[in-house]
Amino acid sequence: MPEYTINVNGQQKKVEAVPDMPLLWVLRDLLGLTGSKYGCGIGACGACSVLIDGEEMRSCRFPISDVGAAKVTTIEGLSKDGSHPLQEAWIEHDVPQCGYCQTGNIMAAAGMLRSKPNPTDADIDEALGSHVCRCGTYTRMREAIKAAARGVK
Amino acid sequence: MTTHLSRRSFLTVMGVGGASFALGYYPTLGDEKGASLEPNAFVRVDPDGTVTIWASKSEMGQGIKTGLAMIVAEQMDCDWSKVRALQADGDGAKYGRQGTGGSGSTRGMMQQLSQMGASARAMLVEAAATEWGVDKSTCRTENGKVIHDASGKSKSYGDLASAAAKLTVPAGQVPLKERKDFSIVGKPTLRVDNHDVVTGTAVYAQDVQVSGAAYGVISRRPAFGATLKSFDDAEARKVPGVIDVFRVTSGVCVIGENTWAAMKGREALKCDWDMGPNAALNTAELSKRLRESVGEHPAMPEGAKVVDATYDFPFLAHYTMEPMNCVADVRADSCTVWAPSQSPDGVQSQVSRMLSLPIGSVTVKVPLLGGGFGRRGAGDFVSDAVEASKQAKRPVKLLWTRDDDMRNDGYRPMSHHAMRGAVIDGKPVAFNHQFIKAQGGSTRTAGTPGNAGLTYRIPSATQMNGNAASPIPTGAWRSVDHSQVSVAVECFIDEMAQAAGKDPLQFRRENTSDPRLLKVLEVVEEKSGWSKPLATGLSRGVACFNGYGGRTAHVVELSIADGEVKLHRVVCVVDCGYAINPKSVEAQMQGACVDGLSTALFAEITIENGGVVQSNPLDYKWTRMNHMPKVEVYVLENDPNPAGMGETGYPGVPAAVANAVTAATGKRVRKFPNRLDELV
């Protein structure tokens, strides 16, 4: 079985995997990073979203063989202690309900804020519009993103 | 800590407030180490001051772990920052009924948990009073401390825990704090799991790390009623990482070293299915059966203006964000499952029966549930994992893929509603609602006496329920029958209002005498600006609901452009009785609003060749961020008892959308989801 060395959350990780194994299962089953979630397996819900070189990517459709030297950031690597402005805003605005989709949404928002530090409603719609939150936390997510962008907790 | 076995032997059943339920009271045994106070199964006070409170109902996003802990902590006068809320294991003997649904957790446990907290507080007070040699009635409690004002003495609960643990748990009822003195209950409070969720450390079932675990997926029947004739696993076994392939009740299970191997193995598996008796069944046939089950409407009064309407509702999937799954570790003489279940005690019984194990040998861990909405009351995903682990002879993390989940649900039943009503001089005088569900065998429609469960005063109101034969499995879905009955009623009330020549909101107000419903209607009228004209292009609809001890009124504003409905604003007014955690009340209303918008406009499950067509978030469309209108929630508290909130926020939303669609188009909605080319 092929061996890959990938950069996850700033660390070099060696894994043995078939080339088509999606990054999601590499992270979850081989590396024990379970913060990224399986929701649909076809890249249509966003529960598995991570950052690849700072851009949001659906890890359930991204094969390990395509990762190469790219830097993978998962929710576990967004901050050491939950202190990323988005995480703090998420807590303070009491966003999560069941919580299952939330890490994917936070990663998508983090990707957006890199290029759009002061997002408009339309920017938020675009960045998160391909995610599903089945509990319907959209109203609070939007508030939390705006608060994080303002630097307000 | 002493073992639970010795304490369990003291389990008694006591009647409290007329109700008789297992309280889980057991006298605290004098712990040799003098450590923690554990007056009952739900509360523990440790010497370091930590107060642990176990939630016996499952946390699935409704905030129950936080809310139940607040109720206990309030009566204990805890320092909330020292409260740790944990999910209890599934253990019926210890916790009583743990089924989580019907918006019943807070309503059902309020009294019991208040007593648990109050009796713990009483023991801490007694311990302090004894030590200080003062009358316990001269002591008070505040923020995790017992205080004696006259002497200026105070002591923390942690410091009193071991002395209190030596005392006898109060028998019978302990006086409770009154609501006017509450400092925790009623205060907007952040969820206890927020930090874990946003850091990715929150544990859902598939996240548990179990040594030696393998991963399993199951190839399932293509149609309801299909049976497996044979399977060929030769190719599946060649897939790298596939460990084993075997038959289980629900199909053929592929076990892999990781999830991907199991999934790829399943792809390579060849199953030969006998499609069974439903191979030709489709939605049109079920719809025909529903319509054929409608009986005669009763005669309407002479001289009345008669209104007729029908409404059709589709099957709905629960579509929890986390698909069904379970982790099981079956051993020769015991079993542990990590079950995201809405019925943890039921899972314990189920596994005990399946494996012929004593109930005490089955451990049910309850991780966070990635959504429930009624789906996780069933035990099918638990059976899968237990069977798989038993055969694989190792722990198995059994996962339903999204298409498994979508196509093997217990669906909100498809239904047909035939309505007839009559108005005279602007007043409703008669109403008949025939509600036919596609569920189980065919039954005749039977009438309900009284006012058909209506919240409106209509002199002659009847509802008739019946079933049309259907093999499609059904289950409880958010607000259960209200998700269609109350929606149909609220659409029809608009049609009656039109026949009566009345404004739909005024018509509702004129024809209900329920003061709480009148109030939410009054407030929604004011907050939505109902009496003021809307901006050009906007239309609105109203609907209300009375159920689960609560009341809601919704106004939805929308426009129609390029053949599509665009949502602009939802105003929700809820009377929650009183709020344990106002933040959770608001969250439930916001969430139910998304369900209501989704099912009003997009989502439906259809049947072809005896199976479900939809399989993923693209063909079972749910509202997303970019479809979201502005949602405003106003919370009223007009009852001494907290109402259930999980179910309550739903029914008004789809009805208000439908009524707004009618206002925008001048045409009536006859089907859900509402499609503009299907209006009449």
Side-chain angles (χ1 to χ4, degrees), chain B residues 588-638:
Chain B
Q588 285 298 301
M589 292 304 117
Q590 291 172 335
C593 178
V594 173
D595 287 2
L597 301 174
S598 304
T599 52
L601 296 176
F602 310 127
E604 70 175 323
I605 288 292
T606 56
I607 307 297
E608 284 297 337
N609 303 322
V612 166
V613 172
Q614 291 73 21
S615 66
N616 62 58
L618 301 176
D619 56 21
Y620 190 69
K621 200 174 156 194
W622 215 253
T623 302
R624 300 184 182 221
M625 179 72 92
N626 52 341
H627 296 127
M628 278 302 290
K630 184 166 183 259
V631 178
E632 300 162 37
V633 177
Y634 301 93
V635 179
L636 312 181
E637 298 180 283
N638 286 325

Side-chain angles (χ1 to χ4, degrees), chain B residues 37 119-134 136 139 146 155-157 159-168:
Chain B
L37 166 66
S119 69
R121 176 189 167 276
M123 294 171 79
L124 292 158
V125 168
E126 195 181 335
T130 304
E131 186 185 319
W132 297 333
V134 301
K136 62 186 177 190
C139 298
V146 182
K155 203 160 186 183
S156 74
Y157 287 176
D159 290 339
L160 290 163
S162 64
K166 297 189 177 81
L167 302 173
T168 308

